[in-house]
Amino acid sequence: MTVAAEPQALNFECETGNYHTFCPISCVAWLYQKIEDSFFLVIGTKTCGYFLQNAMGVMIFAEPRYAMAELEEGDISAQLNDYEELRRLCEQIKKDRNPSVIVWIGTCTTEIIKMDLEGLAPRLEAELGIPIVTARANGLDYAFTQGEDTVLAAMAARCPEKAPVAQEEKDERNAISKLMNFGRKKEDVTVSDSEYKDHPPLVLFGSLPDPVVTNLTLELKKQGIKVSGWLPAKRFTELPVLEEGYYVAGVNPFLSRTATTLMRRRKCKLIGAPFPIGPDGTRAWIEKICSVFNIEPQGLDEREAQIWEGVEEYVKLIRGKSVFFMGDNLLEVSMARFLIRCGMTVQEIGIPYMDKRYQAAELALLEKTCREMNSPMPTIMEKPDNYNQLQRIYAQKPDLVITGMAHANPLEARGITTKWSVEFTFAQMHGFTNSRDILELVTRPLRRNENLKDLGWEKLVRDEAIV
Amino acid sequence: MKLAYWMYAAPAHIGTLRVATSFKNVHAIMHAPIGDDYFNVMRSMLSRERDFTPVTTSVVDRHVLSRGSQEKVVDNITRKDAEEHPDLIVLTPTCTSSILQEDLANFVQRASLEAKADVLLADVNHYRFNEMQAADRTLQQIVQFYIEKARKKGNLVTEKTAQPSVNIIGISTLAFHNNHDCTELKKLMGELGITVNAIIPEGANVDELRSLPQAWFNLAPYRELGPMTTDYLAAEFGMPCVDITPMGVVETARCIRKIQTILTAGGADVNYEDFINEQTIHVSQAAWFSRSIDCQNLTGKKAVVYGDATHAAAITKILTREMGIHVVWAGTFCKPDEEWFRKEVEGYCDEVIISDDHGLIGDRIANSEPSAIFGTQMERHVGKRLNIPTGVISAPIHVQNFPIGYKPFLGYEGTNQVVDLIYNSFTLGMEDHLLEIFGGHDTKEVITKGISADSDLGWNKEAQAELNKVPGFVRGKVKRNTEKFARDRGQTTITLEVMYAAKEAVGA
């Protein structure tokens, strides 16, 4: 070990906030699929609609359970009555789709014209008889995945308060859904409570694809921990019970507001853990939950070692290579921590917003990982400036840049290898089992490079004239 | 408020950005919240741009909301000026800045004192204009700005070139097959002995704009982008304009003859009749195709056409006039061009539809039951659901509509490409139907839920099975006629008996 490589402490900086990311309304794309009986109504302009239409690609043709309430000039100048307009649209939605909940997504425009969505919703809810949840997922305040955070924070208020009453209903519903699912493969493994250790109820929050939900639930079951519910559940009508004193744990790093709401409004206790991304993160996540419940974790050493062994062929490809996160989806710290454990050097962790309290355990693990891997402590660049970042990328020549689609092709044309970051948001990357999928994505451009290396086509733009 | 799932035309600022980024060394600064720079993604992904899209955002956040942009916009302009040395910076308003009503013109004025670049505020109101109108306006605005600037400086070039020359106006980024069309038009001009004076906005330098008046005439192939500029140039310099889209054999000839008239009036001794003849008979395969037995098979087949005004009008005329296909209806989402569109397609289709409601268009397709659809990506998906082949002829488009291979829609090579597109659509439909006749694999219903053909009538098992045996391309019609028959007689379930009765009564 050389002295020069001795890691210092994490360095936090903040730039101008001129970076590229998706608008937070994009969360409807994955949330309407996750919450099967929902309908998302984005109240905004053509600009919002155009973004969704293009960002969601082919999904738009599948009659998605989302729509724009497109504001016209009369709405902006208050010549039209907001309440009447929304009622007309929501009645239409109720008639056509009969959802169990309508989620209103407030946008920049509704903020600026100060449309009181939170005030209008309860009135209309009473009139229509459908719950209306309001989330302000706008570009003035939030970036990309934070949209989900605003929706889940609003949903947290809708979770039932008392267990017993809800239990009965739930059984009834289960009976019906069992009937409906007759002959289908069982998704949930029902177990008698005796398999679980005695611990206070635990509810997990964060929207994940159902297979990943099952996977993480079973992972905790192995430790005798019972997951009482997930926020969000598959259906709005199945939102978990949240009583005062319940424990909650986040599965994604961008859920600060949801965590705050659960603590302050629902009086739940937050388990601050690193996030279950990568085998190291998953293990630390389970360990932390176990430690809160005074449970001695079983077999995690072997489990983690076995995963690492399984992905060695991928890790080999990235060990010793450098990576630069431009930052756009708030998964950056967890990803960086995992990649450092894989032996990569992280040059910069760009991130739209850094909640040092909610991510405290993740940051601590990052620091610890850097020490153990003898890797230099990366700079965490909050609200980055993409232009400045490009200058740093040219100077530092990273082996891999994780970036948005606006920069990926231009960087590739300049011989800089990229992986576009949006894919990580949609890929299944949580838990032990999905570690391979993350590495599959991370190494894909490097494997591509390996396949094409002898062609001499790395740099495909003409040299810019030096002035 | 309007419930909307899909829009054909993008918001105004997209039009402005398309024009600004088509020019060389022009930078656009959007006054917008985080996430509104989605244009950069589209340009980078759809047209696979190698260079960074010269668009940055002057971010509207909470601070801007409470205190106004103050120095922010001006700082962003001067910063970009120092970093990239653009010739022109276009400050681009968005829906957000439209409501904030900040004095962007004032920012532009202040910034232009400091910046070396010229600075312009795009004069587009989000709530009044769509993408196409905004693009057209922005191009005119930039041209006018540089003409007036040159006039002031005294370096405007107004003397005509010695040889016939042309400005090609309206080629832009992220537009349907524009780069290929541009190559084809340059080739065509070369063959006609006409020098290309300027192509705007794609690839043009703003300094070239002061030489626009030296061309003998302007060629504006697209209805959506260019007319405002050519009108301006006509008013200022009396420059004639050819606005006939050279798409299809007949229209290409018409375009060339109009050019001939203009050049002759300008004193050039040209006669393009032999050229038109040679190209039509031997270079383009379209004329020969229309004579061949392949095309004979298409006679009277039903098609519907929908897209932007330029492409929908041109394809309608090609289908009817050059291939003998029966266009049941032709439509466009370019509402401001309604009058123009109606005039163009008059006599070439049974009905004209002017609408930007994709639900209505989907319904009309389902009702018309054409053998092929020519439309946008949205119509392609409607076609998929209804099992009707679709040729994509207009934006909105996906990445597959930015082909790498040479695929112009304009000029003589364009006529070949269009023939392939049309013929392949129809043959695929024929194949499909032959498969079904000979007991093919597809027993899905033709009309699926969601596109109008929803019915309140139940089909019993036997009747449903029988219906599934009906070949796909007429199944929808049989289904509807049978249901109408049943409804008229107050029957709620359709049985085999009802089906047969309907067939006997109304030929369903």
Side-chain angles (χ1 to χ4, degrees), chain A residues 245-301:
Chain A
Y246 273 28
Y247 280 81
V248 291
V251 296
N252 266 323
F254 45 77
L255 299 169
S256 319
R257 281 174 67 89
T258 310
T260 311
T261 308
L262 291 170
M263 284 190 293
R264 293 196 186 150
R265 295 288 172 87
R266 307 305 304 254
K267 313 283 182 230
C268 296
K269 292 173 184 161
L270 176 70
I271 301 175
F275 301 99
I277 290 167
D280 51 338
T282 308
R283 179 197 176 147
W285 184 71
I286 296 172
E287 275 178 344
K288 183 64 192 283
I289 294 173
C290 286
S291 79
V292 170
F293 293 149
N294 274 320
I295 293 168
E296 184 68 33
Q298 301 298 316
L300 283 182
D301 272 338

Side-chain angles (χ1 to χ4, degrees), chain B residues 185-211:
Chain B
L185 287 178
K186 279 195 287 190
K187 185 168 148 266
L188 181 62
M189 291 306 127
E191 285 164 346
L192 296 175
I194 299 168
T195 316
V196 175
N197 182 53
I199 295 167
I200 62 166
E202 185 63 44
N205 220 303
V206 287
D207 190 51
E208 292 171 41
L209 297 176
R210 65 188 178 88
S211 313

Side-chain angles (χ1 to χ4, degrees), chain B residues 9 32 98 110 155 175 183 226 242 293 322 469 492:
Chain B
S98 282
R110 276 164 51 201
N155 63 0
T183 308
V242 177
I293 53 170
E322 300 179 15
K469 287 185 204 151
T492 51

Side-chain angles (χ1 to χ4, degrees), chain A residues 18 70 111 141 385 414, chain B residues 1-2 51 57 62 79:
Chain A
N18 208 321
E70 193 184 310
E111 287 297 309
D141 300 307
D385 184 297
R414 283 159 183 76
Chain B
M1 265 179 230
K2 202 169 79 181
D51 284 318
T57 312
R62 280 283 155 194
R79 177 185 161 187

Side-chain angles (χ1 to χ4, degrees), chain A residues 29-186:
Chain A
W30 65 88
L31 287 176
Y32 90 75
Q33 299 199 39
K34 173 71 194 178
I35 309 170
E36 290 170 0
D37 53 353
S38 62
F39 191 97
F40 283 77
L41 184 66
V42 182
I43 305 161
T45 60
K46 263 190 189 305
T47 306
C48 313
Y50 194 65
F51 163 70
L52 278 179
Q53 177 172 321
N54 284 288
M56 287 161 87
V58 292
M59 280 155 62
I60 205 85
F61 299 109
E63 297 220 1
R65 290 186 317 281
Y66 102 86
M68 289 295 307
E70 193 184 310
L71 300 168
E72 292 164 297
E73 205 163 10
D75 297 300
I76 304 300
S77 52
Q79 286 165 339
L80 296 167
N81 180 304
D82 297 341
Y83 183 77
E84 291 304 322
E85 292 295 300
L86 283 168
R87 192 183 61 176
R88 188 169 55 80
L89 265 44
C90 289
E91 269 171 357
Q92 179 79 39
I93 292 165
K94 185 184 171 183
K95 201 179 102 216
D96 293 351
R97 308 293 182 98
N98 192 29
S100 307
V101 61
I102 297 178
V103 183
W104 285 353
I105 302 289
T107 61
C108 303
T109 312
T110 55
E111 287 297 309
I112 296 169
I113 64 174
K114 298 195 167 48
M115 194 183 281
D116 181 20
L117 297 178
E118 278 93 346
L120 297 174
R123 272 174 65 200
L124 194 54
E125 177 168 329
E127 198 175 331
L128 279 184
I130 295 181
I132 295 176
V133 171
T134 308
R136 301 178 176 200
N138 63 69
L140 294 168
D141 300 307
Y142 305 110
F144 198 7
T145 51
Q146 286 179 290
E148 174 181 325
D149 193 23
T150 64
V151 173
L152 296 189
M155 291 259 176
R158 301 298 182 122
C159 292
E161 275 172 24
K162 277 285 166 217
V165 189
Q167 196 59 50
E168 234 171 81
E169 259 179 40
K170 217 175 179 179
D171 286 346
E172 201 178 299
R173 253 202 313 274
N174 279 348
I176 294 169
S177 70
K178 253 181 226 155
L179 211 62
M180 305 279 284
N181 291 327
F182 181 74
R184 277 196 215 162
K185 205 181 143 217
K186 258 194 192 170

